[in-house]
Amino acid sequence: MRKSILLFVLFTLTSIPLLLFAQGGYQVTGHIISAEDNQPMIGVSVLEKGTTNGVITDMNGNYSITVTKSPATLQFSYVGMKTVDKQVTASTRINLTMENDAQMVDEVVVVAYGVRKKGTIAGSVSTVRAEKMENVPAASFDQALQGQAPGLMVMSGSGEPSVAASFQIRGINSLSSGTSPLFILDGMPVSSGDFNTLNPSDIESISVLKDASSTSIYGARAANGVVVITTKRGLALDKAKVTFRTQLGISQLAQDKWNQMNTEERILFEKEVGLDKGKDYDLLRKTDINWLDVVFNDKAMLQNYEVSVNRATDRLNYYVSGNFFDQDGIAQGSGFRRYNMRANADVKASNWLKVGTTSTVSYEDIEQAQTGEYTSVTPISASHFMMPYWNPYNEDGSIASTKDDSWTGTNQNPLDWMRNNPVSYKKYKVLSTLYAEVNPIKGLTIKSQFAADYAHMTAFRQSFPSFSTNNGSGNAGRSSNDRLSLTITNTANYMFTLREKHSFNFLLGQEGVDAQSEGFSISMRGQNNDLLTNISNGTLAASWSDTAAGTLYSYSYLSFFGRGEYNYDGRYYVDFSLRTDASSRFGKDNRWGAFWSVGLMWNLKKEKFLNECKWLTTTRLALSTGTSGNSDIGYYAWQSLVKGGMDYMGETGIYPAQSGNPDLSWEKTWTTNLALHLGFWNRINLDVELYNKKTTDMLMDVPQSYAVNGSGSRWDNIGAMVNRGVEVMVNGDVIRTKDFSWNLSANFSYNKNKITELYNGVDEYEIASTNLKYVVGRSSTEFYINRYAGVNPANGDALWYTKDGEITTEFRDSDKVMTGKSFVAPWQGGFGTTLTWKDISLAAQFSWVADRWVFNNDRYLDEGNGLFETYNQSRRLLYDRWKKPGDVTDIPRYGVTPQMDSRFLEDASFLRLKNLMLSYNFPQALLKKTNFLTHLRVFVQGQNLLTFTKFSGLDPEGVSNMYQAQYPSTRQFTFGLEVSF
């Protein structure tokens, strides 16, 4: 009897779930809060795994779900939080405290036309996250990328606050066409010149796409790689998050290698070489000016204020921000001021429709110092020329001027010239996208996006009539330019899974770009009053143009593309893409180009033979190959053009200005990439990549006889070039405990560039007046120059090597040789570390380039040895020049003027402490007591604090083969505050 009763009870208990299911399942309820602030979480997804049954939490963080099986697993997920799985078998209550997932963002990688989970893509993609950029004290985010991603070279050719850096990915792919990557901002192409339009704190991530698998889907303009910039969206929060951030600081020269003579040295030099006639040195000794201190400010102010509001719910996601940035340039007459507003929003209008926008509006007020040219009146150049005994200021602190004879130097006081010849620029910028996304059936997403990029730029230049050189007649000039680029993109993406192991993802798309620009410039002279120095008060037009260079153009692209991806059980991945583009920059019969890619990836960690290797947490092998294109040439290069405006004996005429080429077409780059990704103990990650890029049908401005049309060149598809290299990146947590962590990261890359074919069967082509030469089998950026052999100790003559290596006293152009030295560094990289103890964090980031060479033209002037004797010179002419037999030096005797030889070819390799930051986050326990603050952080940081280099100029960083009156990089010290409510 007892046995029967026991069996009945057991049967009854096991039947309860079945009875419940017969009645429609059982209820699970609960309450969910955030571990960060203990506040209820709205919109948490509660899903019964393996089904489509799910709910979200309400305004109070509560949920109730009817579960359909037993046992069942409920999955709790929320953007930015760790996903939690809980098993249930009957009605119960599950309360949760959800924690932030700091690594979740790193698990998502932005790629072309979408995002992918890290570790599921065959392409080569490096990602830089928001925290690397948002606190950098600079107008633009570009400088923050230096040394962050292997294969990406970011070099600044100017320390001017408003000037963008130069980007290159895996070397130079073309001789005459563009070598800059394609930049995509929230789905639309933009120019690097617009980077200072963006507030760096608005950027969520930057993905650097480097190989064919990741770039070919962009086809046109993707041969030089692609940089995808993604701005921030709202975070999944129970309430709106308001953040205020401010930075205050100063800028100064990053390094002050100044070698010009002071007054005593100049006087001694003048006496030695016979330049002392008629000079009162007792009077001159009373003045000793360091013109480096005059031209460059060591306390240039920087201030930045920004506020943002963001939130995300199951229906609405928004991010709104405003920013004011103001930075004085370290050089006289330079500065940058920006007002910026951004609004990003996504609205889930229904279960099948989503609409949104990303928009930014900015206004910029810009002053730029004249750089790159040698004059005695523009400050950066003039700082080398001005004598130390020429005082730019009067005793009362006013600027010395030729107007009242207080300026005692030659020509004009540079400060007075700048004050009387101001130039200002203004820029109004709008970047906006609108999109609609439809999900008609499960797995299918149809998206249409419209993007507009509009800029209005003006410039105003004056020269006041009271300025002595104007003789009472001033002049003024204005220019205006409007640019508009419209992009429409339509895509259809279908994802589905078969038998839980076969995953497919297909994308079809169409894209069109239409861009146009127009502008004018006019200059009037004859103004006679400083207060009325404008266009309308001029009496004579000095110049006018409605087709100024670069201001009048129109071009279009039309593209169709597709991509397919297959994944078997998370082990084997295959992707392919195909794109065809038409560009208006080519003739009607050659506008279309086709580009493709194939990528393979093998996740070895999923294989059984590695199951026992618990220490090996990641093992992936990837291979990709494919093509991409380049059309970055003149807008009408394929056409034969005539130009007007010529004066033929008083009559207006036209002349042939350009030889066209109707056969002109796409430059193509075929890239193959092999990558190995390893992870150890869930702490250390190692990425190694090898690549080979071959460019064919290179777009080159090929020389032709001047008799054809006077231009001396025409565009053609010629030749080939190869870039081969290796990239290595490693990062890991050396120490990771509850209160202390220590992270290290490092990367380096090497690229070898080689020309394999030139035009018309020639093997070499010298580029006039550049000390460069294109030679088959050599780098395209290698110096071709006479080799300096030093000074003859017996008589002080300059010596050179002949082409055959013999020493001669004769400088001959025929003795130039290829030096093996390039102005583009083959080696580059960066490394950094972050130490965190409780709420205190210290982070340092270094960047470096190696084996970069540059011709220091400033030294050519400063060590002129009599060539520029009426201006100040380097103190090396006083101390190091040859003076008597037996002197061993590299500077000949006085009077032997320098030549453009390897004496001035300098190693411009450098190592920089790019950023050092110390920050403190106030504890949550303290902030909760305020019932108001949710986050409070203070930080101090330095930018470009240390620079190690052999280069003798003010700045080893640059993009040109010649260093010439360059605006140097700045060192910055800032204090910052960040608070959230």
Side-chain angles (χ1 to χ4, degrees):
M1 184 67 179
R2 290 180 180 177
K3 190 174 183 179
S4 300
I5 294 174
L6 180 59
L7 289 173
F8 174 78
V9 171
L10 289 174
F11 175 78
T12 303
L13 291 174
T14 56
S15 300
I16 289 176
L18 297 176
L19 294 172
L20 289 173
F21 283 107
Q23 297 174 7
Y26 55 92
Q27 295 294 116
V28 177
T29 60
H31 181 65
I32 302 178
I33 62 174
S34 167
E36 182 178 356
D37 53 14
N38 289 324
Q39 295 297 311
M41 295 183 63
I42 305 169
V44 176
S45 171
V46 184
L47 177 68
E48 182 181 353
K49 293 187 71 172
T51 73
T52 59
N53 178 33
V55 297
I56 62 171
T57 54
D58 62 18
M59 294 293 290
N60 299 311
N62 297 318
Y63 72 93
S64 176
I65 183 172
T66 301
V67 182
T68 62
K69 348 182 247 190
S70 180
T73 300
L74 294 183
Q75 184 178 79
F76 301 83
S77 60
Y78 199 69
V79 177
M81 298 291 182
K82 292 181 179 179
T83 298
V84 179
D85 288 347
K86 292 286 187 179
Q87 191 176 74
V88 295
T89 57
S91 295
T92 186
R93 181 174 180 84
I94 299 177
N95 296 329
L96 280 182
T97 299
M98 300 194 74
E99 298 179 346
N100 285 326
D101 188 354
Q103 296 181 343
M104 196 207 67
V105 176
D106 290 334
E107 293 299 318
V108 176
V109 177
V110 179
V111 296
Y113 304 102
V115 296
R116 296 292 181 272
K117 186 177 179 181
K118 186 177 180 181
T120 65
I121 52 177
S124 177
V125 181
S126 295
T127 301
V128 182
R129 298 297 177 187
E131 60 269 16
K132 298 292 185 179
M133 294 169 285
E134 58 189 8
N135 294 318
V136 173
S140 175
F141 65 87
D142 48 9
Q143 283 294 315
L145 297 179
Q146 192 176 78
Q148 297 282 1
L152 173 65
M153 179 174 286
V154 181
M155 297 285 281
S156 176
S158 172
E160 191 94 48
S162 60
V163 176
S166 171
F167 285 68
Q168 283 181 7
I169 297 177
R170 292 182 169 179
I172 292 177
N173 298 306
S174 184
L175 294 180
S176 302
S177 185
T179 60
S180 179
L182 171 65
F183 299 100
I184 301 294
L185 171 67
D186 291 328
M188 69 172 159
V190 294
S191 166
S192 61
D194 294 325
F195 285 169
N196 54 23
T197 296
L198 307 174
N199 176 14
S201 295
D202 289 339
I203 297 174
E204 179 62 41
S205 69
I206 293 179
S207 292
V208 183
L209 315 185
K210 297 178 284 189
D211 73 327
S213 181
S214 58
T215 64
S216 285
I217 190 67
Y218 284 111
R221 303 165 291 166
N224 300 311
V226 182
V227 177
V228 181
I229 307 161
T230 305
T231 57
K232 290 180 177 178
R233 291 296 198 273
L235 298 175
L237 300 168
D238 58 308
K239 60 180 180 179
K241 180 181 180 181
V242 181
T243 299
F244 172 76
R245 182 186 290 113
T246 183
Q247 288 178 279
L248 300 173
I250 61 170
S251 303
Q252 56 187 220
L253 276 170
Q255 58 176 17
D256 53 1
K257 290 185 176 181
W258 193 244
N259 214 30
Q260 301 300 90
M261 298 180 192
N262 61 28
T263 296
E264 285 299 330
E265 290 168 332
R266 179 66 195 189
I267 291 173
L268 182 58
F269 174 74
E270 291 179 356
K271 289 181 177 179
E272 285 185 0
V273 300
L275 297 175
D276 55 341
K277 293 182 180 179
K279 294 187 176 180
D280 185 353
Y281 286 127
D282 290 335
L283 177 61
L284 294 180
R285 281 191 175 94
K286 295 179 180 180
T287 303
D288 189 5
I289 300 297
N290 184 335
W291 278 86
L292 187 75
D293 297 335
V294 172
V295 171
F296 296 103
N297 183 0
D298 66 349
K299 293 183 179 62
M301 293 299 298
L302 178 152
Q303 54 182 330
N304 181 46
Y305 308 94
E306 56 192 71
V307 61
S308 65
V309 183
N310 76 87
R311 190 185 177 188
T313 68
D314 60 322
R315 291 290 178 180
L316 174 64
N317 181 312
Y318 65 85
Y319 175 91
V320 180
S321 71
N323 168 241
F324 170 69
F325 181 89
D326 186 13
Q327 182 178 0
D328 294 333
I330 60 170
Q332 295 274 356
S334 66
F336 177 78
R337 177 174 292 182
R338 177 186 65 214
Y339 303 85
N340 172 282
M341 292 183 293
R342 170 166 287 278
N344 294 349
D346 304 284
V347 180
K348 191 174 182 180
S350 68
N351 290 333
W352 56 270
L353 175 62
K354 183 180 178 182
V355 295
T357 180
T358 62
S359 301
T360 186
V361 179
S362 72
Y363 166 73
E364 301 165 24
D365 196 349
I366 304 168
E367 288 184 278
Q368 290 186 345
Q370 184 173 329
T371 63
E373 297 179 4
Y374 290 117
T375 73
S376 61
V377 292
T378 53
I380 293 178
S381 170
S383 63
H384 288 267
F385 300 139
M386 297 295 100
M387 292 293 190
Y389 45 69
W390 294 344
N391 197 334
Y393 299 105
N394 296 317
E395 291 184 2
D396 61 0
S398 60
I399 295 177
S401 174
T402 53
K403 185 190 304 184
D404 56 10
D405 295 324
S406 56
W407 171 249
T408 59
T410 301
N411 202 354
Q412 301 291 328
N413 179 357
L415 303 188
D416 190 39
W417 183 92
M418 184 176 61
R419 181 181 60 174
N420 285 278
N421 294 271
V423 181
S424 62
Y425 303 88
K426 290 179 172 58
K427 181 177 179 180
Y428 305 82
K429 187 72 175 181
V430 177
L431 294 166
S432 182
T433 66
L434 299 171
Y435 78 87
E437 189 175 285
V438 178
N439 300 101
I441 61 175
K442 181 180 179 181
L444 177 61
T445 302
I446 300 173
K447 182 177 181 180
S448 183
Q449 176 173 286
F450 175 77
D453 176 353
Y454 173 73
H456 174 65
M457 295 162 285
T458 66
F460 182 41
R461 176 188 56 80
Q462 295 173 282
S463 187
F464 297 125
S466 63
F467 191 46
S468 58
T469 59
N470 288 337
N471 296 317
S473 179
N475 63 75
R478 286 190 182 275
S479 66
S480 178
N481 179 225
D482 290 278
R483 298 179 183 178
L484 176 64
S485 176
L486 303 176
T487 303
I488 186 166
T489 306
N490 300 298
T491 59
N493 199 118
Y494 184 49
M495 302 174 62
F496 62 94
T497 302
L498 298 177
R499 298 179 183 176
E500 297 186 354
K501 287 191 175 183
H502 303 274
S503 298
F504 297 88
N505 189 353
F506 295 100
L507 173 75
L508 291 176
Q510 173 272 329
E511 191 166 66
V513 178
D514 182 74
Q516 51 190 298
S517 172
E518 60 183 15
F520 71 90
S521 64
I522 185 170
S523 178
M524 298 291 292
R525 66 188 184 194
Q527 295 88 345
N528 59 13
N529 188 308
D530 284 3
L531 299 178
L532 299 173
T533 309
N534 50 37
I535 296 294
S536 60
N537 288 294
T539 58
L540 181 66
S543 66
W544 58 93
S545 174
D546 57 2
T547 59
T551 64
L552 182 64
Y553 63 75
S554 177
Y555 68 88
S556 300
Y557 289 98
L558 178 62
S559 310
F560 299 92
F561 54 89
R563 178 173 61 202
E565 299 172 74
Y566 169 69
N567 161 20
Y568 174 71
D569 196 26
R571 285 191 287 174
Y572 311 115
Y573 297 81
V574 180
D575 68 58
F576 66 88
S577 68
L578 182 66
R579 177 166 177 142
T580 179
D581 295 278
S583 171
S584 65
R585 301 188 186 193
F586 303 124
K588 62 180 182 179
D589 296 327
N590 296 282
R591 284 179 177 158
W592 288 95
F595 312 98
W596 59 271
S597 74
V598 175
L600 307 171
M601 200 266 283
W602 180 18
N603 186 356
L604 285 82
K605 186 57 183 172
K606 288 270 188 173
E607 302 296 341
K608 292 181 180 179
F609 60 82
L610 286 179
N611 283 348
E612 299 302 319
C613 300
K614 303 300 183 182
W615 54 272
L616 190 63
T617 51
T618 301
T619 311
R620 299 194 308 273
L621 185 65
L623 174 68
S624 67
T625 188
T627 63
S628 50
N630 192 353
S631 63
D632 192 3
I633 57 174
Y635 305 108
Y636 313 103
W638 68 277
Q639 295 178 307
S640 297
L641 301 176
V642 296
K643 187 176 182 179
M646 298 301 293
D647 185 349
Y648 290 91
M649 302 181 67
E651 296 291 330
T652 299
I654 60 175
Y655 70 100
Q658 177 177 291
S659 295
N661 181 358
D663 297 325
L664 202 63
S665 187
W666 292 89
E667 177 180 281
K668 293 185 178 181
T669 298
W670 188 339
T671 303
T672 300
N673 193 84
L674 177 64
L676 176 64
H677 308 284
L678 299 174
F680 308 94
W681 304 289
N682 273 322
R683 285 199 176 193
I684 301 173
N685 297 300
L686 173 66
D687 300 319
V688 181
E689 300 194 31
L690 305 173
Y691 63 86
N692 181 83
K693 297 197 301 180
K694 183 174 182 179
T695 304
T696 56
D697 295 328
M698 279 194 301
L699 290 165
M700 180 178 176
D701 205 13
V702 179
Q704 70 174 10
S705 171
Y706 279 91
V708 176
N709 65 357
S711 67
S713 64
R714 69 191 290 263
W715 283 95
D716 204 350
N717 292 102
I718 55 90
M721 178 187 293
V722 172
N723 285 277
R724 295 188 178 97
V726 58
E727 298 171 356
V728 177
M729 183 168 187
V730 60
N731 66 77
D733 294 326
V734 180
I735 300 175
R736 188 170 61 201
T737 66
K738 178 182 178 181
D739 292 329
F740 181 74
S741 65
W742 178 21
N743 175 270
L744 288 173
S745 63
N747 72 83
F748 78 85
S749 60
Y750 171 76
N751 180 80
K752 183 174 178 59
N753 173 272
K754 184 171 69 173
I755 299 172
T756 58
E757 182 185 343
L758 282 173
Y759 60 93
N760 297 335
V762 302
D763 292 330
E764 55 185 45
Y765 167 54
E766 183 175 355
I767 310 171
S769 304
T770 62
N771 287 325
L772 300 173
K773 186 179 185 180
Y774 296 147
V775 178
V776 172
R778 313 289 296 230
S779 168
S780 62
T781 58
E782 185 175 341
F783 282 96
Y784 177 67
I785 198 170
N786 292 87
R787 293 173 294 171
Y788 188 62
V791 175
N792 187 336
N795 56 20
D797 283 344
L799 303 174
W800 294 271
Y801 290 106
T802 67
K803 195 170 187 176
D804 298 324
E806 299 177 353
I807 292 181
T808 178
T809 58
E810 185 179 355
F811 182 85
R812 295 180 298 229
D813 193 66
S814 59
D815 286 327
K816 287 184 176 180
V817 297
M818 300 298 287
T819 62
K821 299 174 179 178
S822 169
F823 68 88
V824 175
W827 295 92
Q828 62 156 332
F831 57 92
T833 183
T834 302
L835 295 97
T836 302
W837 179 67
K838 293 186 177 181
D839 298 310
I840 301 175
S841 179
L842 177 66
Q845 179 66 36
F846 292 81
S847 64
W848 58 271
V849 299
D851 201 21
R852 176 177 181 265
W853 296 80
V854 67
F855 189 91
N856 190 345
N857 205 62
D858 284 1
R859 264 188 65 205
Y860 177 81
L861 300 181
D862 295 341
E863 299 176 16
N865 218 9
L867 193 60
F868 308 99
E869 61 186 17
T870 57
Y871 295 107
N872 200 14
Q873 300 276 272
S874 168
R875 57 169 53 98
R876 293 196 68 227
L877 286 185
L878 174 64
Y879 298 119
D880 298 337
R881 79 177 190 277
W882 186 95
K883 297 179 182 179
K884 64 183 185 304
D887 285 350
V888 178
T889 181
D890 65 329
I891 301 179
R893 69 181 186 276
Y894 185 76
V896 178
T897 56
Q899 302 292 338
M900 304 288 281
D901 54 39
S902 63
R903 170 184 163 192
F904 304 107
L905 192 60
E906 295 190 32
D907 185 354
S909 307
F910 66 84
L911 167 64
R912 260 194 175 138
L913 175 53
K914 195 66 184 175
N915 188 271
L916 180 66
M917 176 183 289
L918 176 65
S919 62
Y920 176 69
N921 285 286
F922 284 77
Q924 283 296 313
L926 179 62
L927 298 181
K928 287 177 182 178
K929 296 179 180 179
T930 67
N931 293 320
F932 182 58
L933 301 178
T934 60
H935 171 73
L936 178 60
R937 182 172 72 110
V938 294
F939 58 91
V940 291
Q941 68 173 320
Q943 186 86 350
N944 293 334
L945 288 182
L946 299 172
T947 302
F948 304 94
T949 182
K950 296 179 181 178
F951 187 65
S952 65
L954 290 176
D955 189 8
E957 192 172 340
V959 297
S960 173
N961 63 307
M962 184 172 290
Y963 180 82
Q964 179 173 305
Q966 180 175 308
Y967 195 125
S969 294
T970 62
R971 177 191 296 125
Q972 294 163 321
F973 301 91
T974 57
F975 166 80
L977 170 69
E978 182 180 272
V979 57
S980 297
F981 312 96

